[in-house]
Amino acid sequence: MKKILFSLAFLLAFINSNAQKDFQGMAVYESKTSTSDFKSRMAGNKDMTPEMQKMIEERMKKMFEKTFILNFDKQASIYKEEEKLDAPGQQGGGMRMMSSMMGGGGTYYKNAKDKTYSVDKEFMGKEFLVKDSLKTYNWKMESETKVIGGYNCYKATTVIPASKTDFRNFRPKKEEEKKEVAVKDDSKKADGTKDETKKEEVKEKKTSFMDDIDLPKEITITAWYTPEIPVNQGPEGYWGLPGLILEVNDGKTTILCSKVVLNAKDKVEIKAPTNGKVVTQKEYDDTIIKKMEEFREMNQGQGRGGMQMRMGN
């Protein structure tokens, strides 16, 4: 009798182990980023015709509204933008640059067991393979609940530093704010009066791309996860909750799950990307910031707000 019970226990453990090994799921996410800041900026530009504004808004809509697919198992996941064919000449240099900074592009692989990630990125004609440790989120479990796609979800929040290379965090500065930054205290003489000559000199020195935008120091992340799908995965780099994350909001961008399929007949190979020059996240960020500065300086002759006003070219 003991031998029979032992055999049954071993069989159940074997079945359970294989079930976990074979477990796989797929989730579709719709990502939308608010463009109200940029629309108001364009509306205040007297040099932009209604036709130009409409064209840029249409292109921004495609860039700021995307669909992603997350394939996951018990340990790892891959997150990719849904493939779409763009018409020839659909994106100019400025649009391609910003699109590379919108969370899309390449395959985002996360291994929750090893706490590592890798993502292949194409930026300004060069291929990179970013490999680093997963960000640690200090999630605060909240009491609120809601239903998403038939799944009971629980709320969790955390505060993280704002990425300087994620275009979704950028807010265009108002003209008066930029003027204040430009003149600061450098426009004052020793006696405290304004030095108009010095003020003009300071304006001429202003060449930094970052001077044209606001970037918050921190952003609050609100996530909704479901323990009914017991994997600590989620869209983009989000992870670390006791259930699949079905919705994330950072104040400007909302990523919402629209479909979940568990244990489909056709399995997807979940593996890390391998193409591109291997760099750390910091090395990749430094490269982007350097290129942003170069792009800003290149467009100085086009007037203030150069990059923002050349997005559709």
Side-chain angles (χ1 to χ4, degrees):
M1 185 67 179
K2 289 183 178 180
K3 289 183 178 181
I4 294 175
L5 291 175
F6 177 80
S7 297
L8 287 173
F10 179 81
L11 179 60
L12 288 172
F14 177 79
I15 293 173
N16 183 59
S17 175
N18 278 275
Q20 289 191 11
K21 182 179 179 181
D22 294 336
F23 172 81
Q24 191 175 105
M26 183 273 290
V28 179
Y29 292 88
E30 308 296 335
S31 175
K32 294 185 178 182
T33 300
S34 171
T35 60
S36 57
D37 292 337
F38 296 96
K39 286 182 179 179
S40 60
R41 176 70 178 272
M42 288 190 294
N45 182 12
K46 298 178 181 179
D47 297 328
M48 184 173 292
T49 65
E51 291 75 17
M52 289 173 61
Q53 183 172 338
K54 182 179 180 180
M55 178 186 68
I56 292 178
E57 286 183 1
E58 289 176 351
R59 294 186 179 182
M60 288 180 67
K61 178 180 175 66
K62 291 184 178 181
M63 185 176 67
F64 284 80
E65 296 184 8
K66 297 183 176 183
T67 301
F68 295 86
I69 307 295
L70 178 74
N71 289 283
F72 57 89
D73 56 26
K74 287 288 185 177
Q75 296 182 352
S77 68
I78 52 175
Y79 184 73
K80 294 183 65 175
E81 184 179 350
E82 184 181 56
E83 295 183 2
K84 294 179 180 179
L85 294 176
D86 288 328
Q90 186 67 37
Q91 290 188 338
M95 291 291 279
R96 282 196 300 269
M97 180 178 178
M98 289 185 292
S99 204
S100 298
M101 300 158 61
M102 292 293 296
T107 298
Y108 200 126
Y109 171 85
K110 298 196 300 289
N111 190 310
K113 181 180 180 181
D114 298 337
K115 297 183 179 180
T116 60
Y117 72 92
S118 58
V119 54
D120 53 342
K121 289 277 192 179
E122 189 276 330
F123 183 73
M124 303 295 282
K126 295 183 179 181
E127 292 186 354
F128 296 90
L129 181 59
V130 183
K131 301 180 72 172
D132 219 317
S133 300
L134 282 170
K135 181 192 296 289
T136 299
Y137 293 96
N138 296 316
W139 293 109
K140 178 184 177 182
M141 303 304 188
E142 308 285 356
S143 59
E144 295 178 51
T145 64
K146 70 176 179 179
V147 177
I148 300 176
Y151 291 95
N152 294 310
C153 295
Y154 296 83
K155 183 180 179 180
T157 59
T158 187
V159 178
I160 64 172
S163 170
K164 294 181 180 179
T165 60
D166 190 335
F167 193 80
R168 293 169 298 184
N169 293 330
F170 295 177
R171 280 80 165 165
K173 282 184 178 177
K174 297 178 181 179
E175 288 299 320
E176 55 268 27
E177 293 175 335
K178 290 192 289 185
K179 288 178 181 177
E180 289 177 5
V181 172
V183 299
K184 296 190 292 184
D185 293 333
D186 293 330
S187 63
K188 293 183 179 180
K189 295 180 180 180
D191 60 2
T193 61
K194 288 187 177 181
D195 187 339
E196 297 298 325
T197 303
K198 184 64 175 178
K199 182 168 66 174
E200 291 302 319
E201 290 177 358
V202 174
K203 285 185 178 181
E204 287 298 321
K205 291 180 181 179
K206 179 181 175 300
T207 59
S208 173
F209 170 80
M210 301 302 287
D211 287 339
D212 276 349
I213 61 172
D214 270 330
L215 180 67
K217 292 182 179 180
E218 297 178 330
I219 55 176
T220 299
I221 306 296
T222 301
W224 295 87
Y225 67 94
T226 177
E228 295 172 21
I229 306 177
V231 296
N232 59 350
Q233 292 286 346
E236 292 190 8
Y238 299 110
W239 74 293
L241 286 168
L244 181 66
I245 299 173
L246 296 186
E247 182 179 342
V248 180
N249 182 280
D250 66 1
K252 284 199 68 175
T253 298
T254 298
I255 306 175
L256 177 63
C257 181
S258 60
K259 180 181 179 181
V260 175
V261 177
L262 300 178
N263 293 319
K265 183 178 179 180
D266 296 326
K267 302 295 182 181
V268 174
E269 187 176 13
I270 298 176
K271 65 177 183 178
T274 57
N275 295 329
K277 177 184 177 182
V278 177
V279 294
T280 64
Q281 187 66 57
K282 184 180 184 306
E283 290 171 335
Y284 180 73
D285 290 347
D286 289 344
T287 298
I288 290 185
I289 291 174
K290 181 180 178 181
K291 290 298 180 183
M292 286 194 300
E293 294 286 354
E294 292 176 0
F295 195 83
R296 170 61 179 158
E297 292 174 5
M298 182 178 68
N299 286 275
Q300 277 293 311
Q302 301 297 324
R304 296 187 61 81
M307 180 179 174
Q308 289 91 334
M309 295 302 104
R310 287 172 57 86
M311 288 188 300
N313 293 344

